[in-house]
Amino acid sequence: MHNFEINSSEIDKIEKISEKEKNFRIKNLEFFNTNGFPSKKLEDWKFSDFRDIVYKNFDQLDTKNTLADIKKINLLKDFDHNYILLVNGNLQSSNFDYEDKSKIRINSYKKDNINYETSQNPLVCLNNALAKEGYSLEIEKNYRLKKVVIIYNFFTKDLKNKILNKKNKITIKENSEIHIIDYTVNESKFKFINNICENVILEKNSKFKHIFIQDNRSNGYFYKFSKNKLLSNSNYTSFIFSSGLKFNKLDIECDLEGKNSECNVQSALFLNTNDHQEIKTRINHLAENCKSYQKVKSVLSSDSKGVYQGKIYVKNIAQKTNAYQLSQALLLSSDSEFDSKPELEIYADNVKCSHGSTSGSLDEDSLYYLMTRGLNRKESTKLLIKGFLDDVVQIIKSASIKKFIQDKLAKQIYGH
Amino acid sequence: MLEIKNLQVSINNKSILKGLNLSIKPGELHAIMGPNGSGKSTLANVLSGKGGYKISGKLNFEGKDLKEITIEERAKKGIFLAFQYPLEIPGVNTNIFLKTSLNSIRKARGEKEMDTLSFLKLLKEKSSELGIDENFLSRQLNVGFSGGEKKKNEILQMKILDPNFSILDETDSGLDIDALKVIANGVNSSRNKKKSFLVITHYQRLLNYIKPDFVHVLSDGKIVKSGCSELAEELEKTGYKKTN
Ligand SMILES: Nc1ncnc2c1ncn2[C@@H]1O[C@H](COP(=O)(O)OP(=O)(O)OP(=O)(O)O)[C@@H](O)[C@H]1O
Ligand SMILES: [Mg+2]
């Protein structure tokens, strides 16, 4: 029998901690120990029985921080960028040479990375109980970063049967703008769990653009809860291209708290054999005149599973809301699976809201057309897949970043 | 070049071609006319290798049994079909697609792959010959193209791939008179003693510009009448009823 109960002595080991923090951590740990890893009995996990996945793949899990230093990292040469280097979730170094450094503050985990919100999500509770590393990034008022920031998420070879719990926080002050690429490089050939909670605060008139992408296929089991708070006129955009993990769930919550704020989540995913990938969005329209847009495109090879759970909530005062959601899946094999669950909860009357979900196999007539031009079935299939995912990639404005993403996607699709 | 004998084709237990005979020699241009639903597009699809049909009879191309070879191998052997309804392929750039297509065919012919520069030169030459705006070529394949633009794009592909045997399935339908002339010129300038054509059309008008060596009437799955180009003029006056 598995026993993943975590001893409260783990919390006692945390130094310099207030009574409030300690109680918060203990409460969360109790919740986790009572409920265990989330199973499909929970509505939010009905398509991804994480408990089952953990039991099948792990006999033990070690929660200790894994410190490691990377001597040399191969920075991407595709475009100029600032960077933050995380090694196993710990902040190792950063470089903002392209920027006015007085406008940027980057630190390791700080006490205020905790937001003291209660959660019913066992993984978030586990993170609340144990996380004591991560990073905190703050952009001062009235500053637009000149170059994109790559966050190198580096995982070292020795990670094995580990569960990493990290908390990050990004604050973008008024009238500021930052573009981030979350780039995961995983050197571990072993199985481990990465459990991240990230808080993003977009102050008035600020802009945040986020791209998620993996460098390589790996045996990681990743969960990320990303909570985004949008104040008036702010703009959040997130592109998800990260696939190639054994398990990957991105849980994105956006609170549109200020008038005229906008959030936009788009993804283009190619799931290879045995991949399991879930995207969950919850968009809370809490103020007037806000826009939200979600488009999730997935291509699924044999024995892969994709899930999209998208909820749009519109509060009674959130008049003139404009919300749009679309999920499209292309199933390449009869044993691939895609589940989609759109949910609307609307309490305002002046609202424009639409959603749609389609899934199907490759169009035989299109394949035939391409093959009459001398391409074989495999080449034609790949061309159609690439074409299917391309409209999401095309939205990326920077030509060099677009090319970088296209190359990565092609590598996933063509497998070299 | 092409030898069809007693071709029987059915799909979903529906018999469509019922003993069709046709022989096309190098350098010849044959026109096929016939009522809607008589099996013209089916014949074109069977020649280019579309799946899903039950086929019997003799179907030889340059001495090889076509039934044995796949769609893309037929393309590589020089069979080209200009579709009656060209498909829209989202996210696939016309330009890049054409280059990929050309190079896979060149490779099969034992020719060197064409580099981007020479390809663009070829593309420019052929598209201006057909009056196709170069902007089209950087768009997604057929997506949002008008009916006539799609047809022109089919002929552009034919000109670039330079096949030995081209099947044009109602390429003239929906074309304005200028476009019709342009396309006819495109076909005529490709004609030589090695290349053959099978032109499916409903209108004698096209055959004023492209002179066929033979005209056939396909009706209810069979060729019921064959003749020279005067047959088309006759059909224009009398319709298909009398040929049955
Ligand atoms: N998949 C199919 N299943 C059943 N019947 C089919 C199928 N495909 C074609 N047919 C039928 O076969 C017949 C011949 O079709 P085809 O498209 O070859 O006609 P056509 O001569 O090209 O007509 P048109 O002049 O209208 O283009 C039609 O009656 C059509 O409905
Ligand atoms: Mg037809």
Side-chain angles (χ1 to χ4, degrees):
Chain A
M1 199 47 217
H2 298 84
N3 182 9
F4 291 116
E5 208 177 293
I6 287 158
N7 200 303
S8 65
S9 65
E10 291 294 325
I11 292 175
D12 298 331
K13 283 185 218 151
I14 303 174
E15 287 164 19
K16 285 187 250 162
I17 150 175
S18 69
E19 204 58 26
K20 180 186 173 198
E21 184 180 333
K22 188 162 183 179
N23 288 337
F24 179 72
R25 287 180 183 274
I26 289 174
K27 224 175 67 200
N28 277 283
L29 188 67
E30 280 169 357
F31 185 92
F32 176 77
N33 281 338
T34 315
N35 293 281
F37 283 106
S39 78
K40 64 169 176 236
K41 288 199 194 106
L42 297 176
E43 193 58 25
D44 287 347
W45 294 84
K46 66 189 273 190
F47 301 113
S48 312
D49 196 323
F50 194 64
R51 182 184 299 179
D52 192 51
I53 292 168
V54 172
Y55 284 8
K56 274 193 187 128
N57 291 287
F58 296 92
D59 290 322
Q60 63 188 67
L61 278 170
D62 173 10
T63 60
K64 264 202 304 294
N65 188 23
T66 312
L67 280 169
D69 255 349
I70 302 295
K71 296 277 168 326
K72 191 176 171 295
I73 167 128
N74 294 319
L75 297 177
L76 294 179
K77 300 207 168 54
D78 307 64
F79 41 87
D80 293 342
H81 62 276
N82 305 292
Y83 68 83
I84 293 173
L85 172 59
L86 305 175
V87 180
N88 301 333
N90 307 304
L91 176 67
Q92 180 177 311
S93 61
S94 64
N95 183 311
F96 284 92
D97 285 351
Y98 290 105
E99 311 296 337
D100 174 352
K101 286 177 193 143
S102 70
K103 302 290 186 186
I104 295 157
R105 254 169 299 165
I106 170 88
N107 289 295
S108 319
Y109 172 88
K110 293 198 300 192
K111 294 289 173 202
D112 74 347
N113 280 22
I114 304 179
N115 65 6
Y116 291 100
E117 270 179 37
T118 43
S119 171
Q120 301 292 314
N121 177 335
L123 281 175
V124 172
C125 290
L126 180 65
N127 185 289
N128 283 341
L130 300 180
K132 52 189 181 359
E133 295 95 21
Y135 70 90
S136 157
L137 174 66
E138 243 177 72
I139 310 301
E140 275 307 321
K141 272 187 200 171
N142 306 319
Y143 188 69
R144 292 179 53 172
L145 272 80
K146 295 180 187 67
K147 302 280 181 196
V148 66
V149 180
I150 298 188
I151 299 181
Y152 290 96
N153 269 295
F154 203 89
F155 296 97
T156 51
K157 283 194 196 64
D158 47 337
L159 281 181
K160 186 178 183 180
N161 294 328
K162 283 265 177 195
I163 178 161
L164 310 175
N165 293 288
K166 308 289 161 183
K167 265 195 198 306
N168 306 325
K169 185 170 181 182
I170 300 172
T171 311
I172 308 147
K173 298 251 166 93
E174 281 179 42
N175 302 317
S176 292
E177 178 169 351
I178 183 170
H179 296 192
I180 286 181
I181 299 178
D182 238 305
Y183 183 61
T184 300
V185 183
N186 186 356
E187 291 218 318
S188 171
K189 299 275 177 290
F190 304 110
K191 295 172 178 173
F192 68 94
I193 300 175
N194 188 33
N195 181 24
I196 307 286
C197 286
E198 192 162 285
N199 258 308
V200 180
I201 295 163
L202 286 86
E203 293 193 354
K204 274 193 277 179
N205 300 318
S206 66
K207 271 195 184 154
F208 179 52
K209 215 178 250 182
H210 205 171
I211 295 177
F212 293 96
I213 190 149
Q214 297 270 127
D215 175 54
N216 53 344
R217 293 182 58 74
S218 77
N219 290 324
Y221 293 74
F222 281 32
Y223 174 72
K224 180 170 197 166
F225 177 65
S226 155
K227 172 106 179 156
N228 306 283
K229 180 172 160 159
L230 285 79
L231 300 185
S232 52
N233 290 307
S234 64
N235 191 310
Y236 167 92
T237 305
S238 166
F239 290 99
I240 303 163
F241 301 110
S242 52
S243 62
L245 284 158
K246 282 275 171 284
F247 176 90
N248 193 14
K249 179 164 173 166
L250 269 172
D251 196 340
I252 297 175
E253 203 168 306
C254 288
D255 289 338
L256 297 152
E257 287 187 8
K259 286 183 193 171
N260 307 314
S261 55
E262 273 185 49
C263 92
N264 184 335
V265 178
Q266 306 217 28
S267 87
L269 297 171
F270 178 79
L271 302 191
N272 222 313
T273 307
N274 293 324
D275 288 356
H276 181 129
Q277 170 107 18
E278 172 164 347
I279 293 173
K280 181 169 164 268
T281 56
R282 186 185 160 114
I283 312 296
N284 295 316
H285 280 267
L286 308 172
E288 265 181 38
N289 232 338
C290 296
K291 271 192 206 153
S292 69
Y293 185 94
Q294 304 102 62
K295 180 149 129 194
V296 172
K297 291 195 136 191
S298 319
V299 178
L300 297 108
S301 322
S302 60
D303 285 314
S304 67
K305 181 170 172 172
V307 180
Y308 177 56
Q309 295 206 66
K311 179 161 180 171
I312 298 170
Y313 170 88
V314 182
K315 199 177 170 179
N316 54 2
I317 58 164
Q319 299 295 1
K320 289 183 255 160
T321 284
N322 193 338
Y324 177 87
Q325 183 188 96
L326 179 70
S327 150
Q328 290 177 307
L330 193 57
L331 288 103
L332 300 182
S333 155
S334 56
D335 47 22
S336 48
E337 181 183 332
F338 187 78
D339 301 297
S340 138
K341 190 180 147 223
E343 243 186 302
L344 301 176
E345 203 179 316
I346 300 173
Y347 298 102
D349 41 35
N350 183 6
V351 166
K352 239 167 70 189
C353 197
S354 65
H355 69 96
S357 166
T358 60
S359 73
S361 48
L362 277 173
D363 179 44
E364 277 300 324
D365 286 338
S366 302
L367 278 172
Y368 168 54
Y369 184 61
L370 298 180
M371 284 156 77
T372 61
R373 290 351 183 203
L375 306 181
N376 65 33
R377 196 176 172 91
K378 213 166 156 186
E379 291 163 336
S380 308
T381 300
K382 286 177 174 172
L383 211 54
L384 289 180
I385 292 172
K386 209 166 145 270
F388 174 78
L389 297 175
D390 197 56
D391 59 337
V392 173
V393 186
Q394 288 305 334
I395 301 167
I396 293 173
K397 286 200 194 89
S398 148
S400 53
I401 296 178
K402 189 192 296 187
K403 166 111 189 2
F404 170 72
I405 303 286
Q406 278 170 330
D407 290 349
K408 285 279 167 212
L409 267 178
K411 205 170 131 190
Q412 285 170 24
I413 298 167
Y414 293 86
H416 51 71
Chain B
M1 172 168 272
L2 181 72
E3 188 71 34
I4 304 176
K5 269 202 184 123
N6 193 26
L7 179 67
Q8 317 241 7
V9 173
S10 63
I11 187 162
N12 300 331
N13 289 322
K14 185 180 186 275
S15 161
I16 298 170
L17 297 181
K18 305 164 182 174
L20 183 138
N21 299 306
L22 181 67
S23 165
I24 299 179
K25 294 199 173 61
E28 290 179 353
L29 190 145
H30 291 234
I32 289 198
M33 304 180 83
N36 296 126
S38 56
K40 303 180 298 296
S41 293
T42 304
L43 174 64
N45 284 331
V46 166
L47 289 172
S48 60
K50 189 176 187 183
Y53 298 106
K54 225 180 118 201
I55 301 169
S56 70
K58 186 171 168 191
L59 197 60
N60 277 10
F61 180 73
E62 292 180 337
K64 293 234 166 57
D65 185 359
L66 271 187
K67 296 196 291 300
E68 307 276 296
I69 58 179
T70 59
I71 304 170
E72 79 270 14
E73 282 165 350
R74 296 183 201 205
K76 287 170 178 168
K77 283 197 180 309
I79 297 182
F80 178 87
L81 169 61
F83 279 57
Q84 182 175 0
Y85 305 109
L87 282 102
E88 299 195 359
I89 313 287
V92 173
N93 176 288
T94 308
N95 232 321
I96 294 172
F97 166 69
L98 267 173
K99 180 164 173 260
T100 316
S101 165
L102 174 62
N103 277 334
S104 71
I105 286 173
R106 285 177 69 98
K107 228 164 99 188
R109 286 185 199 145
E111 294 168 18
K112 219 170 87 227
E113 285 197 22
M114 202 178 258
D115 60 60
T116 307
L117 226 59
S118 358
F119 173 74
L120 288 177
K121 198 167 152 257
L122 175 74
L123 191 62
K124 201 171 174 147
E125 180 195 321
K126 299 295 177 194
S127 53
S128 72
E129 200 180 304
L130 293 169
I132 295 175
D133 189 334
E134 272 178 83
N135 288 334
F136 270 100
L137 305 169
S138 53
R139 280 168 58 177
Q140 302 173 42
L141 187 53
N142 291 330
V143 177
F145 286 27
S146 77
E149 288 162 354
K150 283 180 185 164
K151 296 296 178 74
K152 274 192 179 177
N153 191 21
E154 293 292 285
I155 297 305
L156 174 67
Q157 294 178 43
M158 180 187 90
K159 301 289 285 182
I160 298 250
L161 300 179
D162 196 27
N164 289 332
F165 177 50
S166 304
I167 308 158
L168 274 53
D169 192 355
E170 290 197 30
T171 303
D172 56 327
S173 297
L175 286 185
D176 66 52
I177 188 74
D178 293 336
L180 186 74
K181 283 183 194 163
V182 167
I183 278 190
N185 283 338
V187 172
N188 287 332
S189 65
S190 290
R191 288 179 76 170
N192 63 34
K193 49 184 195 306
K194 281 187 200 142
K195 294 194 191 316
S196 313
F197 294 83
L198 182 62
V199 177
I200 297 169
T201 181
H202 284 295
Y203 308 104
Q204 188 258 336
R205 193 182 63 166
L206 174 72
L207 306 178
N208 288 336
Y209 300 104
I210 301 176
K211 278 272 162 260
D213 300 302
F214 299 94
V215 176
H216 311 277
V217 178
L218 181 64
S219 179
D220 193 25
K222 275 198 252 216
I223 288 182
V224 292
K225 197 165 185 178
S226 297
C228 45
S229 59
E230 286 75 37
L231 176 58
E233 287 160 34
E234 196 181 305
L235 287 168
E236 184 86 2
K237 290 194 201 99
T238 59
Y240 294 118
K241 284 200 185 90
K242 286 199 180 143
T243 57
N244 283 324

